[in-house]
């Protein structure tokens, strides 16, 4: 069995009981299985929800708080309790753990992105399991992660993981309503398969995201050459069974695209919310970008520019229909780029090496 770098995301619906409080028994089971993976020689990064649930069970609030204040209070209390619980459980296996609290803003620049990657790399090199969560005490703006599914996808991409395992409270993506006995789990998803008819819109339980989020993140990560598995974290020994008995263990697997993409393109792929401007392009430029050949975006293909940005900022690239075609790192500031609109024989506004197609 080959050794792998595995990112395991454990959702709130796995780590909480029906009353919304932390499920200590389930957390202990996740730790046991993670220890087994480590013993097999795999590297594991654990992206764990549960801080808010942990804090909610710790304190009875005397006065009414709005949703932001509640989240700040409970996450501040709960994160300390949660990481201490992980520390104690992993210590029984003589395994060191380290806490990594992050925010979406911390991935906004290439420098911050690389700093976080370096931090987790040195942890893994020294046998320390990174336990990652969003810092909900300060991440209360519109730039919050959709949920930890999005965060886990970004971590898997950033760390060059072989596999991302998203543990939810159902067995995978079904071809019908999960509660319908006739529905079956879709075992494999090829890169070009459309799942829109199967995905349920509603969220469930205590998590912020739903299956649509999981599917979108899984597809994007698989396009970067990383295998993605969605499975039921409430099933006993699920992580072990996925390794030892994948054929008979219920789950949905997104087949990775061979070849993958460069490190900087991985950062760009997950940074769409940080775009500082919009480049509108004509249909010929859109056709060229979406073709089989690797091409850059030249000024001659740009028709209009929105926003103010500096050289090196991320920009969205939009076609004539208003749909985003790509996101990329601009070679010019906005004023210079505007002066070059429609001109021939100029260097690219966005070079192919810094361009990620949607």
């Amino acid at each position: 069995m080959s050794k792998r770098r595995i990112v395991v995301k454990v959702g709130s619906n796995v780590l909480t009981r029906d009353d919304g409080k932390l499920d200590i028994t389930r957390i202990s089971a996740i730790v046991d299985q993670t220890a087994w993976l480590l013993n097999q020689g795999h590297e594991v990064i654990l992206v764990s929800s549960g801080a808010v649930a942990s804090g909610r069970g710790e304190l009875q609030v005397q006065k009414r708080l709005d949703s932001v204040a509640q989240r700040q209070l409970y996450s501040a209390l709960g994160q300390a309790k949660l990481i201490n619980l992980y520390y104690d459980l992993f210590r029984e296996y003589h395994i060191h753990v380290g806490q990594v609290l992050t925010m979406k803003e911390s991935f906004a620049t290439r420098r911050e992105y690389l700093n976080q990657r370096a931090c987790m790399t040195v942890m893994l090199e020294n046998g320390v399991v990174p336990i990652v969560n969003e810092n909900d005490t300060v991440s209360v703006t519109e730039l919050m992660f959709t949920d930890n599914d999005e965060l886990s996808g970004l971590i898997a991409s950033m760390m060059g993981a072989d596999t991302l395992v998203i543990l939810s409270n159902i067995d995978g993506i079904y071809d019908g309503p999960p509660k319908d006995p006739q529905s079956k789990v879709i075992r494999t998803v090829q890169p070009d398969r459309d799942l829109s008819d199967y995905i349920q819109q509603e969220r469930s339980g205590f998590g912020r995201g739903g299956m649509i989020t999981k599917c979108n993140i899984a597809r994007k990560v698989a396009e970067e050459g990383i295998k993605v598995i969605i499975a039921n974290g409430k099933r006993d020994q699920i992580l072990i069974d996925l390794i030892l008995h994948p054929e008979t263990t219920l789950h949905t697997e997104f087949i990775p695209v061979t070849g993958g993409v460069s490190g900087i393109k991985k950062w760009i792929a997950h940074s769409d919310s940080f775009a500082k401007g919009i480049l509108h392009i004509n249909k010929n430029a859109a056709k060229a970008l979406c073709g089989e050949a690797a091409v850059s975006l030249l000024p001659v293909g740009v028709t209009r520019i929105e926003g103010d940005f500096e050289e090196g900022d991320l920009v969205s690239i939009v076609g004539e229909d208003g749909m985003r075609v790509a996101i990329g790192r601009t070679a010019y500031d906005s004023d210079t780029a505007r002066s070059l609109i429609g001109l021939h024989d100029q260097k690219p506004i966005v070079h192919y090496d810094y361009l990620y197609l949607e």
Side-chain angles (χ1 to χ4, degrees), residues 76-302:
L77 279 169
Q79 191 62 50
K81 180 181 177 182
L82 184 64
I83 195 64
N84 277 310
L85 177 59
Y86 275 124
Y87 174 84
D88 289 338
L89 292 170
F90 274 108
R91 187 171 58 176
E92 295 180 11
Y93 291 98
H94 306 287
I95 295 170
H96 297 285
V97 300
Q99 179 174 247
V100 179
L101 293 179
T102 189
M103 302 180 294
K104 197 165 188 176
E105 292 94 325
S106 299
F107 295 89
T109 70
R110 182 72 173 156
R111 176 179 293 180
E112 290 175 295
Y113 179 89
L114 293 175
N115 281 342
Q116 291 187 92
R117 188 173 73 181
C119 171
M120 278 185 265
T121 297
V122 75
M123 291 171 74
L124 293 172
E125 289 174 347
N126 286 276
V128 178
V129 176
I131 299 179
V132 187
N133 197 5
E134 183 172 13
N135 190 351
D136 288 321
T137 59
V138 291
S139 296
V140 291
T141 70
E142 66 278 2
L143 283 179
M144 288 177 70
F145 289 107
T146 304
D147 72 348
N148 274 353
D149 295 321
E150 184 182 3
L151 174 58
S152 68
L154 204 159
I155 296 295
S157 174
M158 179 179 75
M159 298 305 298
D162 300 282
T163 305
L164 167 62
V165 181
I166 298 176
L167 296 181
S168 184
N169 59 345
I170 60 174
D171 291 314
I173 297 174
Y174 285 80
D175 59 5
K179 295 181 181 179
D180 186 342
Q182 302 300 316
S183 298
K184 296 180 179 179
V185 172
I186 300 171
R187 299 301 297 266
T188 59
V189 179
Q190 298 294 336
D192 57 352
R193 183 169 183 181
D194 183 8
L195 296 174
S196 57
D197 291 338
Y198 304 125
I199 307 299
Q200 300 296 304
Q201 293 282 345
E202 68 272 5
R203 295 174 296 178
S204 60
F206 302 98
R208 290 209 306 270
M211 197 51 70
I212 289 179
T213 301
K214 289 175 175 59
C215 182
N216 290 340
I217 294 300
R219 192 179 293 282
K220 178 179 285 189
V221 173
E223 287 175 353
E224 296 165 16
I226 300 169
K227 179 169 69 175
V228 183
I229 291 172
I230 298 176
N232 192 337
K234 289 185 176 289
R235 286 189 176 272
D236 293 337
Q237 306 298 309
I238 184 63
L239 293 174
I240 297 172
D241 287 342
L242 286 170
I243 297 291
L244 297 181
H245 314 291
E247 297 84 5
T248 57
T249 302
L250 274 179
H251 68 282
T252 297
E253 179 177 323
F254 285 74
I255 305 300
V257 174
T258 57
V261 296
S262 69
I264 194 163
K265 285 197 176 188
K266 287 182 179 182
W267 167 62
I268 292 171
H270 292 271
S271 301
D272 53 313
S273 60
F274 301 117
K276 298 290 182 64
I278 302 175
L279 309 183
H280 293 265
I281 61 175
N282 59 39
K283 61 182 179 181
N284 290 332
K287 183 178 180 180
L289 290 180
C290 297
E292 294 185 3
V295 298
S296 301
L297 177 62
L298 301 173
V300 67
V302 178

